[in-house]
């Protein structure tokens, strides 16, 4: 049995119908009417121990609702979830001790307490043995650079420091599974990279299972092997990040450094998209133009110092999927 098993999961929210005007308001009060919003529509998937999975989709797709059900905060309308053999909403307390949750937009730390005191409190709450606490504090301080601000109250921390402090707090009790909700939102590139590196280290060294919801495709590309895409509450893709890029990222960029400045380069089958000194970037469609033909054409006419082919950005592929420009085929999408 997989660590996380989700079968035909459905969540409907009940919304009250409001009528216009004073009479309408009175009517709504006396005879309340409701409509249903299906936020999660028969989703199934399973996640094995040690996997890192990106859970993505456009705004309102149903990601948070699914994660809230996985963590036991919400009860499903129908379908089943098991996390390590437990039902998250029925065995909420037991489940909580085995999971860690990191919210990018909210802190779980005590606002007025120094960070170190928060960790002491968590040690007490989760009954973390001394040796585990010491080992984790050492590792987290080292990779996340906690020593800079351990004695400062949480309210004085910068966004990036708070995020690092929050991640350490969520992992202190050695959870088997961690749910990250937009873990790098609002952070600068250095802080983002530090967090991604930390996540990779913990996954590699401890085999911790990780699920990310994020709008930052670099988070997914740099930390996850697998990606589940949902849209309008339905699962539309479940597979590797590489596979979706390879199959749907049709455009490639040829970056060429010439031995001298050449004003007009004609390259049939490719379009000039950028130039900088002696360097030029050409975009081409990999299923229409062979890269070897482009290289031959260029090298016969011009002196070339360096040439590289750049892979497609996952960001662009996902944008097109959200905009309906790419229809995923069922054999690839792993959707049954
Ligand atoms: N408490 C609620 N009551 C009613 N409808 C809700 C509630 N929470 C979410 N919804 C609706 O359910 C749908 C899914 O919302 P959800 O927050 O799960 O999406 P999401 O994929 O996490 O979006 P985002 O990327 O914007 O955070 C949306 O249409 C949303 O308006």
């Amino acid at each position: 049995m997989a660590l996380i098993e989700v079968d035909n999961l459905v969540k409907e929210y009940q919304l009250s119908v409001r009528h216009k005007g004073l009479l309408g308001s009175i009517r709504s009060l006396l005879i309340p009417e409701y409509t249903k919003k299906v936020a999660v529509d028969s989703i199934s998937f399973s996640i094995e121990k040690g996997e890192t999975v990106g859970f993505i989709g456009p705004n309102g797709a149903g990601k948070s609702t699914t994660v809230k059900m996985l963590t036991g905060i919400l009860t499903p309308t129908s379908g089943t979830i098991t996390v390590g053999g437990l039902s998250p909403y029925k065995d909420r307390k037991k489940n909580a001790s085995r999971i860690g949750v990191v919210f990018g937009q909210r802190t779980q730390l005590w606002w007025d307490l120094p960070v170190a005191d928060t960790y002491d409190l968590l040690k007490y709450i989760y009954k973390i043995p001394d040796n585990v606490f010491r080992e984790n504090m050492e590792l987290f301080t080292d990779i996340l650079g906690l020593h800079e601000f351990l004695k400062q109250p949480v309210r004085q921390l910068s966004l990036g420091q708070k995020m690092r402090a929050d991640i350490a707090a969520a992992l202190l009790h050695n959870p088997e599974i961690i749910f990250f909700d937009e873990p790098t939102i609002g952070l600068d590139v250095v802080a983002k990279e530090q967090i991604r590196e930390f996540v990779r280290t913990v996954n590699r060294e401890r085999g911790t299972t990780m699920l990310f919801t994020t709008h930052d495709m670099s988070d997914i590309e740099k930390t996850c092997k697998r990606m589940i895409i949902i849209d309008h509450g339905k699962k539309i893709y479940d597979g590797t990040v590489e596979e979706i890029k390879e199959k749907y990222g049709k455009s490639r960029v040829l970056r060429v450094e010439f031995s001298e400045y050449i004003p007009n380069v004609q390259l049939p089958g490719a379009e000039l998209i950028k130039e900088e000194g002696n360097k030029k970037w050409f975009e081409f469609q990999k299923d229409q133009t062979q890269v070897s033909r482009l290289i031959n054409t260029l090298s016969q006419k011009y002196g070339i110092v360096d040439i590289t082919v750049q892979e497609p950005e996952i960001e662009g592929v996902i944008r097109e999927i959200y905009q309906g420009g790419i229809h995923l085929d069922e054999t690839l999408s792993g959707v049954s």
Side-chain angles (χ1 to χ4, degrees):
M1 193 189 204
L3 186 61
I4 299 177
E5 295 265 11
V6 172
D7 191 31
N8 269 311
L9 187 66
V10 175
K11 180 68 190 178
E12 291 172 357
Y13 290 112
Q14 209 176 43
L15 303 170
S16 52
V17 177
R18 304 229 169 268
H19 295 283
K20 279 189 189 155
L22 182 64
L23 275 180
S25 302
I26 296 170
R27 185 178 150 195
S28 300
L29 266 178
L30 296 177
I31 322 158
E33 281 175 55
Y34 299 98
T35 56
K36 279 182 199 160
K37 164 84 206 171
V38 182
V40 174
D41 194 355
S42 302
I43 285 184
S44 302
F45 59 85
S46 56
I47 296 176
E48 299 291 338
K49 182 177 162 31
E51 275 198 273
T52 44
V53 182
F55 200 60
I56 67 165
N59 290 130
K63 304 178 294 288
S64 302
T65 304
T66 307
V67 170
K68 282 179 189 160
M69 289 190 276
L70 287 167
T71 51
I73 297 171
L74 281 179
T75 309
T77 306
S78 63
T80 55
I81 308 177
T82 51
V83 176
L86 298 176
S87 158
Y89 43 98
K90 288 186 198 142
D91 307 300
R92 207 173 149 173
K93 256 192 166 169
K94 265 197 198 160
N95 189 50
S97 67
R98 294 162 56 170
I99 64 170
V101 186
V102 178
F103 294 104
Q105 278 161 318
R106 242 168 317 145
T107 179
Q108 316 173 55
L109 307 168
W110 279 268
W111 202 238
D112 290 312
L113 287 187
V115 179
D117 290 9
T118 294
Y119 296 152
D120 287 338
L121 269 173
L122 288 171
K123 176 178 185 291
Y124 176 76
I125 292 170
Y126 285 102
K127 301 185 177 67
I128 304 170
D130 288 343
N131 59 330
V132 173
F133 184 76
R134 217 173 23 246
E135 260 173 45
N136 282 348
M137 282 309 297
E138 268 169 30
L139 177 74
F140 301 166
T141 304
D142 188 28
I143 314 184
L144 290 171
L146 303 181
H147 53 276
E148 281 175 31
F149 50 81
L150 266 179
K151 299 210 165 70
Q152 263 172 263
V154 173
R155 66 184 142 75
Q156 289 177 0
L157 303 187
S158 73
L159 192 64
Q161 291 172 333
K162 223 178 296 159
M163 199 61 232
R164 286 184 272 155
D166 247 314
I167 291 180
L171 270 74
L172 214 50
H173 61 294
N174 280 352
E176 282 173 68
I177 305 164
I178 305 174
F179 296 94
F180 291 96
D181 186 17
E182 299 279 356
T184 63
I185 196 162
L187 303 187
D188 66 36
V189 277
V190 177
K192 278 185 186 201
E193 207 33 65
Q194 195 176 24
I195 284 170
R196 291 169 187 154
E197 177 55 32
F198 177 72
V199 162
R200 284 192 295 261
T201 307
V202 171
N203 172 256
R204 194 177 52 237
E205 290 186 3
R206 305 202 162 163
T208 312
T209 309
M210 298 176 168
L211 201 100
F212 294 81
T213 61
T214 179
H215 287 286
D216 187 331
M217 285 308 128
S218 305
D219 279 350
I220 302 287
E221 208 167 18
K222 294 186 174 169
T223 50
C224 302
K225 291 204 175 68
R226 177 177 164 199
M227 186 166 72
I228 295 176
I229 308 179
I230 63 167
D231 194 11
H232 294 103
K234 286 189 186 296
K235 186 173 90 169
I236 60 167
Y237 177 78
D238 186 348
T240 67
V241 177
E242 280 312 311
E243 206 177 9
I244 202 165
K245 251 180 23 177
E246 178 54 34
K247 174 127 193 211
Y248 295 102
K250 298 261 161 90
S251 66
R252 296 282 185 278
V253 172
L254 190 70
R255 177 189 168 281
V256 189
E257 186 177 349
F258 296 93
S259 52
E260 58 186 326
Y261 177 71
I262 301 158
N264 288 312
V265 175
Q266 295 302 320
L267 187 57
E271 188 192 345
L272 179 70
I273 53 166
K274 183 177 158 187
E275 50 187 330
E276 235 176 64
N278 293 356
K279 293 180 201 141
K280 293 187 199 295
W281 284 257
F282 300 91
E283 190 176 52
F284 64 98
Q285 302 300 313
K286 75 160 183 163
D287 49 357
Q288 290 167 19
T289 308
Q290 275 185 330
V291 66
S292 55
R293 216 189 69 211
L294 297 177
I295 295 174
N296 271 343
T297 310
L298 288 172
S299 55
Q300 278 167 16
K301 288 194 195 161
Y302 314 105
I304 289 168
V305 176
D306 189 32
I307 200 157
T308 49
V309 181
Q310 295 172 346
E311 289 294 305
E313 298 276 333
I314 185 82
E315 185 89 44
V317 178
I318 299 298
R319 194 183 321 117
E320 267 203 72
I321 292 172
Y322 289 178
Q323 289 168 350
I326 293 179
H327 296 284
L328 299 166
D329 78 46
E330 287 183 9
T331 49
L332 175 76
S333 65
V335 179
S336 48

